Amino acid sequence: MNRVRFGIVFALFLSSSPLLIGWAQSGALKLETFDGTVVPLAELLDKQGVKLDADAAPYWVALVSDSGKVHPLVKDAMGRMYFTDKKLLRRPMRIIGRLVPGSDLLQAINVHSLKDGKLHDIYYWCEVCIIKGYESGACACCGAPMEFREIPVKK
């Protein structure tokens, strides 16, 4: 039974993978690396004297790059973690992704945290199904709570 669950979840993951969707839409991805901090866009705008409507605020976060460039994040399968898990905000991050053509919108393809200058994989783990996800909450397969993991990247 677990093999069937795994197969279904794996197939769903592949079919909605941002990487595969990006390739299908653009033919090839131009990936870039962005180091910075993900913050609610309302905070950035407030510092500039702009008040974002309260009903819009939960739907906008942005990566402020180390060079000061602001890249609003696309809320999709990979970027969603920054919208649903507040502990990922206001921390050093490295996002590998692509800028949506003609904009500064950033679509995340791969994400890492930076702790003490070292890369860490960040993801959510279901101990029951033994699967990795990229969003806090319940496992899509069995409904068990997903556990946040932050593991140093091995070189």
Side-chain angles (χ1 to χ4, degrees):
M1 186 65 170
N2 279 341
R3 282 187 183 182
V4 172
R5 279 188 195 162
F6 177 79
I8 292 170
V9 170
F10 187 70
L12 288 171
F13 171 77
L14 285 179
S15 69
S16 65
S17 169
L19 185 57
L20 295 177
I21 291 168
W23 273 328
Q25 291 174 344
S26 68
L29 291 176
K30 181 184 176 225
L31 298 180
E32 299 178 58
T33 300
F34 301 85
D35 288 345
T37 304
V38 177
V39 296
L41 188 61
E43 285 181 16
L44 294 174
L45 293 173
D46 193 47
K47 289 177 184 176
Q48 301 298 320
V50 177
K51 182 77 172 156
L52 188 63
D53 282 349
D55 61 336
Y59 301 104
W60 288 100
V61 297
L63 177 84
V64 179
S65 73
D66 290 346
S67 65
K69 187 84 173 157
V70 176
H71 298 285
L73 289 177
V74 173
K75 185 178 181 183
D76 63 2
M78 200 60 162
R80 192 175 300 119
M81 67 173 55
Y82 294 105
F83 294 84
T84 61
D85 194 343
K86 302 302 181 205
K87 74 172 151 278
L88 297 175
L89 299 178
R90 299 173 198 88
R91 298 179 49 195
M93 295 284 167
R94 173 169 291 164
I95 296 178
I96 298 171
R98 72 178 188 113
L99 294 177
V100 175
S103 76
D104 284 324
L105 292 169
L106 176 57
Q107 180 186 26
I109 303 298
N110 196 344
V111 297
H112 291 93
S113 64
L114 290 162
K115 289 175 69 174
D116 301 320
K118 295 184 171 131
L119 285 177
H120 287 67
D121 282 325
I122 53 175
Y123 58 90
Y124 301 87
W125 183 255
C126 177
E127 195 63 44
V128 176
C129 301
I130 310 177
I131 57 173
K132 184 189 284 191
Y134 294 97
E135 181 178 1
S136 63
C139 174
C141 182
C142 72
M146 298 289 279
E147 173 189 317
F148 178 72
R149 299 241 173 129
E150 190 167 23
I151 310 295
V153 172
K154 294 179 183 173
K155 293 184 181 185

